[in-house]
Amino acid sequence: MKLNNVILKTTTQVVFFMIFLFSIHIFFAGHFSPGGGFVGGLLTASALVLLLLTYDLKTVQQLLPINYTTMTAIGLLLSLGTAATSAFLGDAFFKHYFDHFTLPLFGDTELHTAMLFDLGVYLVVVGVTMIIIQSIGGDE
Amino acid sequence: MITLILKVALVFFALTIVISFYRVVKGPSMPDRIVALDTIGVNLLSMVAIVSIVFETKAYLEVILILGILSFIGTIAFSKFLERGVIIEHKSDR
């Protein structure tokens, strides 16, 4: 049975980038407003799930050749490394550092090493969600 | 005054959700239930917007967008399951 779902494909090509940009926004806004690594990761995973729904597993893997197991490992290493760096510098485990910087486009910005920990959480959440969905959904 | 109007609107949205829930329980066919669940999602989203006005906070605005996205993806997944039998195909024949 051949189905022509051109409306769904066109909608997905627009909506995917909206969801992805919104997840990036929620990831970066997590320090001062609701959001953070977990919700941002789940939203990115849901954008990828929308791609999986519209196209099929092989096409999405050709489109985004990401090994999600490696992604989870990198996220765990990043979180552990951020937590362990302060121990090597002589402070307590999990001590975070922050300072104010003047960036060219953003002006006065507060950069925080908790964001690196959150990036690890983000990568782990995206990786684990996509591993679960791909291994359950991708039947032969 | 404006709070009273907002609370009346909340009551009407709750009534809409109850009516849609009747369609979810009673609906003769599966697409009826899916459309009813989508309607419940949209009404829930509107209720969150009104509640955020009543509480005078901007903290719930992300919830509105996330609820819309999740409702959209859930409806598409259900529809694809009804139409094709599988949700995620391994290799499409198109």
Side-chain angles (χ1 to χ4, degrees):
Chain A
M1 190 163 98
K2 290 179 86 71
L3 292 170
N4 189 8
N5 46 6
V6 64
I7 297 177
L8 177 61
K9 281 184 178 173
T10 314
T11 313
T12 300
Q13 284 166 9
V14 179
V15 169
F16 170 75
F17 291 104
M18 285 187 195
I19 301 176
F20 190 69
L21 285 178
F22 181 55
S23 75
I24 298 291
H25 162 75
I26 251 181
F27 168 70
F28 279 115
H31 197 67
F32 292 113
S33 64
F38 187 77
V39 189
L42 278 184
L43 267 179
T44 308
S46 66
L48 294 173
V49 165
L50 182 65
L51 275 189
L52 280 178
L53 284 173
T54 309
Y55 302 99
D56 49 85
L57 202 58
K58 280 270 183 271
T59 313
V60 175
Q61 278 172 354
Q62 280 174 4
L63 203 67
L64 300 166
I66 302 170
N67 188 353
Y68 292 106
T69 318
T70 318
M71 195 172 175
T72 310
I74 290 174
L76 283 174
L77 276 179
L78 201 60
S79 294
L80 192 64
T82 314
T85 308
S86 57
F88 286 116
L89 292 180
D91 287 316
F93 190 58
F94 260 110
K95 169 137 175 98
H96 284 165
Y97 307 99
F98 70 97
D99 204 357
H100 287 266
F101 295 96
T102 307
L103 297 181
L105 205 57
F106 299 101
D108 185 28
T109 314
E110 185 183 337
L111 294 181
H112 207 295
T113 53
M115 183 269 190
L116 291 175
F117 184 79
D118 225 20
L119 185 64
V121 174
Y122 176 88
L123 290 177
V124 168
V125 169
V126 174
V128 168
T129 314
M130 291 311 290
I131 287 171
I132 291 173
I133 288 176
Q134 283 191 352
S135 53
I136 291 178
D139 52 344
E140 290 284 342
Chain B
M1 186 62 196
I2 191 80
T3 316
L4 183 71
I5 295 174
L6 290 174
K7 282 176 182 168
V8 170
L10 271 184
V11 170
F12 278 122
F13 275 124
L15 209 61
T16 316
I17 288 181
V18 169
I19 295 171
S20 306
F21 187 71
Y22 172 77
R23 186 47 67 193
V24 172
V25 174
K26 184 79 176 175
S29 66
M30 221 50 184
D32 287 332
R33 296 193 173 95
I34 293 170
V35 173
L37 281 176
D38 199 37
T39 314
I40 287 178
V42 171
N43 283 304
L44 217 55
L45 191 148
S46 318
M47 282 180 88
V48 172
I50 292 179
V51 163
S52 77
I53 299 176
V54 171
F55 287 168
E56 291 178 2
T57 174
K58 284 191 286 186
Y60 297 156
L61 295 187
E62 278 92 355
V63 177
I64 299 171
L65 269 169
I66 291 177
L67 211 52
I69 290 168
L70 291 185
S71 168
F72 174 68
I73 293 177
T75 308
I76 286 181
F78 267 127
S79 314
K80 187 160 183 191
F81 177 69
L82 281 187
E83 198 173 345
R84 309 275 303 190
V86 290
I87 296 181
I88 299 173
E89 289 160 293
H90 192 261
K91 184 80 188 87
S92 175
D93 53 351
R94 275 160 287 150

